[in-house]
Amino acid sequence: MQPGKATAHDVAPLVFELTRAIRARRGNEAKHTSVAEALRRCEAARQRLPAHAREFALEANDTGLFLPSGVRLTGPGSDELAADLRARRMLRLVLGGQTDAGELTRLVETLAREPESEAREAASTSNAERNAFLTQHIADLVRSLSELERCDDLASYNVTANRVEVSVDVLLRAKRSIDAYRAALVLARHAADRDQRSDAIRREAGDRLGRLAHRGELLEAVIEQACGPSGLASVQASQVLIAIGALAVPRLLRSLSDRKEGVRARVTQVLIALGDAALAQVIEELAAQQPERARRAARLLGEMQNPRGVSFLADALSAPDTALAREAAQALVRIGDDAAAQALISGLARADDIAEVCAGCLGGLKHPASLPALAALADERSKRAEGVRRAAIASLGRIGSPAALARLTKILDHAPFFGAAKLRPLRVAAAQAIGQIGGNSAAEVLAAHAGRGDSEVRRACQEAARRLAGAAKRKT
């Protein structure tokens, strides 16, 4: 098998564990337990690689770490590993399908050592000092977080948390936000731990997490983890964002513009989970001057299914942006309570393009209050546009009540001598809707028109009757 068959998703976990192992080895002796554990995780990550991905190559250049196919790796640790490879002039690293734990250990040992070139050593003395400084702070952070796990009184918790914040600040200024992220992970867990943590410590952990969340680079790191390929890491980071609450919402909303569907889906899930903490800011987005932002907010309110969003979506039905009004109508259907139904019924009185959308949405909602409003809209005396009336007729078919069947029958029966051509599309729509309702009564109505009258209406009745009969056979 040729190197390069693996995908970025396949190799991302192993890249992350390799960088962690390299960090652990730089700060400890080879036999230290933290190094052994890091190497064990590396081997476990390699074992989890799919069969097609056991042999792959990584290429490092000035812009990052790449697969031979040209796909850049953007997951945690990829840029750091690329820098380590470039520093040692290892511009291509091939891991074979038969790589064993010993080879991984040797690779970690090689990358953990400082480059042997005297020229590089002379040029990078300051970088070496900086790396040593950062390595020390990473070790301090890990040690402080370990102590924080054992703190059971508020005073000691505060003292230790202060040290954590110092290390986090240093790492963030050095652009090592992924290393700093582990502090957010621990604090979020403490803030939610009702079994092991006192109320005072949980509040303190939440306050500390909020202070960290004001650091944009750290919040971006959390969102990056939440949207990453690793299932467990994504879940953990999502829990951190939920613990952060409203402070995370603005950056999450901006992430909804990401071109990757997977990122948008994960961000949407987090915003839905935030519930009331996100609602106010999503409603503000609905009033944004940028149309696409407002439409995304309308969709999100529908997915959140929060009844408190109904009045704002109802206002959006009158927006000059027709696409926004359509999104608002569809969001009201997803919320689906009495207030949402009334908002859509009120929308029937708006301009024809919005009334048509609202009429179609009411069929999906199937709310009993919508029946008389739709019947009035579909009535032969209605002065509304044909598209609006046809949408109302179709929704009456989807509602499927006896009262809806009576109204549709009246439309189908209405065949005046003058103006028959004008009514033809509505009668065809009524036949189709009656067939959708089904049942013996609907079959009798269709049979009465299937052999006489206007040819288009006749064919529509015959087709609807065939579909109705086919559906009845499938049920038996």
Side-chain angles (χ1 to χ4, degrees):
M1 183 179 293
Q2 294 298 317
K5 296 296 184 181
T7 67
H9 177 80
D10 292 330
V11 304
L14 179 54
V15 168
F16 179 48
E17 296 300 342
L18 274 172
T19 57
R20 292 178 67 186
I22 293 165
R23 292 178 208 155
R25 179 62 184 90
R26 282 178 180 150
N28 300 280
E29 294 293 330
K31 296 182 179 180
H32 195 276
T33 55
S34 63
V35 176
E37 177 62 18
L39 290 170
R40 187 195 64 76
R41 289 195 301 267
C42 276
E43 176 59 14
R46 189 192 70 80
Q47 292 292 341
R48 288 195 297 270
L49 285 172
H52 69 271
R54 290 293 173 87
E55 182 172 332
F56 64 92
L58 298 173
E59 298 175 352
N61 61 34
D62 291 339
T63 59
L65 195 65
F66 294 79
L67 291 172
S69 61
V71 174
R72 182 182 179 186
L73 274 69
T74 58
S78 56
D79 288 344
E80 185 176 340
L81 182 58
D84 286 333
L85 291 172
R86 290 197 306 270
R88 290 153 184 81
R89 302 182 184 276
M90 296 171 62
L91 302 186
R92 183 177 175 89
L93 172 65
V94 177
L95 292 176
Q98 302 302 316
T99 301
D100 58 22
E103 291 179 18
L104 284 176
T105 300
R106 288 189 290 276
L107 174 61
V108 169
E109 286 290 331
T110 300
L111 294 177
R113 289 197 300 269
E114 288 300 312
E116 297 177 357
S117 167
E118 293 183 2
R120 174 166 175 78
E121 287 181 0
S124 63
T125 300
S126 60
N127 285 338
E129 293 175 351
R130 178 175 177 271
N131 288 337
F133 175 74
L134 292 177
T135 299
Q136 183 59 50
H137 272 283
I138 292 171
D140 289 345
L141 177 60
V142 172
R143 186 162 48 251
S144 297
L145 290 174
S146 179
E147 292 178 20
L148 203 63
E149 295 279 15
R150 298 190 295 271
C151 291
D152 56 6
D153 66 276
L154 186 59
S156 61
Y157 194 92
N158 275 325
V159 170
T160 307
N162 286 336
R163 296 203 303 271
V164 167
E165 288 193 19
V166 168
S167 295
V168 166
D169 185 66
V170 170
L171 293 171
L172 290 178
R173 283 190 278 110
K175 310 300 183 185
R176 300 289 288 267
S177 54
I178 295 298
D179 290 305
Y181 159 70
R182 66 184 74 189
L185 194 61
V186 171
L187 289 170
R189 188 171 67 250
H190 291 178
D193 189 355
R194 297 182 179 275
D195 295 331
Q196 301 295 327
R197 303 287 168 180
S198 67
D199 290 345
I201 287 181
R202 287 194 297 106
R203 284 193 298 270
E204 183 63 27
D207 290 344
R208 298 273 182 172
L209 181 63
R211 288 204 288 273
L212 292 184
H214 278 97
R215 302 292 298 268
E217 57 271 50
L218 179 61
L219 192 51
E220 290 291 354
V222 181
I223 294 174
E224 178 186 340
Q225 290 289 310
C227 298
S230 173
L232 177 59
S234 177
V235 170
Q236 290 176 331
S238 297
Q239 291 170 344
V240 173
L241 290 169
I242 293 169
I244 290 171
L247 285 172
V249 174
R251 288 182 180 270
L252 286 168
L253 289 172
R254 288 200 292 273
S255 297
L256 286 176
S257 63
D258 195 290
R259 293 182 180 180
K260 298 178 181 178
E261 184 177 349
V263 171
R264 295 196 303 271
R266 289 188 181 95
V267 168
T268 298
Q269 291 169 0
V270 174
L271 286 166
I272 292 171
L274 282 167
D276 287 346
L279 183 64
Q281 294 178 67
V282 177
I283 289 171
E284 287 180 8
E285 285 285 289
L286 193 62
Q289 296 302 310
Q290 299 177 21
E292 186 54 39
R293 284 176 56 192
R295 294 170 202 159
R296 284 199 300 265
R299 286 194 294 271
L300 184 56
L301 284 172
E303 291 169 330
M304 293 172 76
Q305 297 183 333
N306 193 318
R308 291 167 56 194
V310 168
S311 61
F312 301 96
L313 290 167
D315 291 341
L317 290 176
S318 60
D321 179 10
T322 303
L324 172 57
R326 291 176 182 274
E327 293 286 0
Q330 292 162 3
L332 288 167
V333 173
R334 298 198 68 171
I335 295 174
D337 62 2
D338 292 345
Q342 290 300 325
L344 288 169
I345 291 170
S346 297
L348 298 177
R350 300 191 184 278
D352 285 342
D353 51 355
I354 301 306
E356 184 175 341
V357 173
C358 291
C361 288
L362 283 168
L365 199 56
K366 297 185 179 181
H367 194 281
S370 63
L371 184 59
L374 290 170
L377 203 61
D379 191 273
E380 63 272 13
R381 293 164 294 183
S382 173
K383 303 299 183 183
R384 300 303 295 269
E386 180 186 301
V388 178
R389 296 179 66 190
R390 290 178 65 183
I393 290 169
S395 285
L396 287 172
R398 293 170 71 187
I399 291 173
S401 69
L405 178 58
R407 174 56 61 181
L408 293 168
T409 300
K410 188 174 180 180
I411 295 170
L412 183 59
D413 289 343
H414 186 58
F417 185 77
F418 296 104
K422 185 177 180 180
L423 293 174
R424 182 183 296 126
L426 301 177
R427 297 181 68 207
V428 169
Q432 294 168 343
I434 290 170
Q436 189 173 7
I437 291 175
N440 293 332
S441 297
E444 291 173 3
V445 172
L446 293 171
H449 291 273
R452 59 181 174 83
D454 184 284
S455 60
E456 287 189 30
V457 175
R458 187 168 66 248
R459 284 195 297 271
C461 289
Q462 291 168 353
E463 178 61 27
R466 280 195 296 271
R467 292 182 179 178
L468 196 156
K473 286 182 180 179
R474 286 193 293 273
K475 287 182 180 179
T476 57

